[in-house]
Amino acid sequence: MKTILIIDDSQTVRNYHKSIVKAGGFRVVTAVDGADGLEKLYLNSVDMVLTDINMQGIDGYEFTRRVRSDRSFERLPIVMISTEGEESDKLKGFEAGANLYMVKPAEPEFILEQIRMFL
């Protein structure tokens, strides 16, 4: 069973995304921010990351840059999902190393399609 790491500072959003991903047949690990996400990434066998952008401390951009700086995670799919939908936000996400940038709210089936595409 593939494992998805979901990082979001909102418990409501974390639970929402977790329910979608679990319904798709995936195992889920959650984190409350980028620092927690890095810890969970190193403690678990993770196949993909779904991360928010705006979080206290280590945000989604910085999380992604740090993950990409570790060669052992250079092929790990990272999807940013945020309410920030400007082209400059998306560009910043791709420059940080994201494979995909989605704008919230995203339809559950679209989220699952993207996960399946990467895995």
Side-chain angles (χ1 to χ4, degrees):
M1 182 180 290
K2 301 285 187 179
T3 301
I4 312 298
L5 172 60
I6 297 173
I7 309 169
D8 201 298
D9 58 345
S10 165
Q11 182 173 355
T12 302
V13 174
R14 264 193 329 272
N15 289 340
Y16 175 66
H17 288 153
K18 180 179 178 178
S19 69
I20 292 168
V21 173
K22 284 186 85 166
F26 301 98
R27 181 175 170 265
V28 175
V29 175
T30 60
V32 299
D33 58 29
D36 189 31
L38 288 170
E39 182 177 334
K40 300 281 176 65
L41 181 64
Y42 283 100
L43 292 175
N44 296 275
S45 177
V46 173
D47 299 291
M48 184 174 182
V49 176
L50 185 66
T51 184
D52 186 24
I53 300 295
N54 297 317
M55 299 177 285
Q56 293 292 324
I58 297 175
D59 65 12
Y61 298 122
E62 182 60 22
F63 168 84
T64 302
R65 282 191 288 273
R66 289 187 187 192
V67 171
R68 290 295 181 231
S69 71
D70 184 331
R71 294 186 70 103
S72 60
F73 295 116
E74 64 188 4
R75 292 186 177 206
L76 178 71
I78 300 176
V79 175
M80 293 185 169
I81 183 163
S82 177
T83 56
E84 307 298 327
E86 298 296 320
E87 287 303 314
S88 60
D89 300 311
K90 294 175 185 178
L91 181 60
K92 191 173 176 182
F94 290 124
E95 288 173 345
N99 297 91
L100 181 67
Y101 191 106
M102 288 191 278
V103 178
K104 292 180 195 172
E107 292 295 322
E109 192 52 43
F110 180 72
I111 292 172
L112 288 174
E113 285 173 9
Q114 300 312 304
I115 291 172
R116 289 181 188 119
M117 179 184 71
F118 282 107
L119 298 179

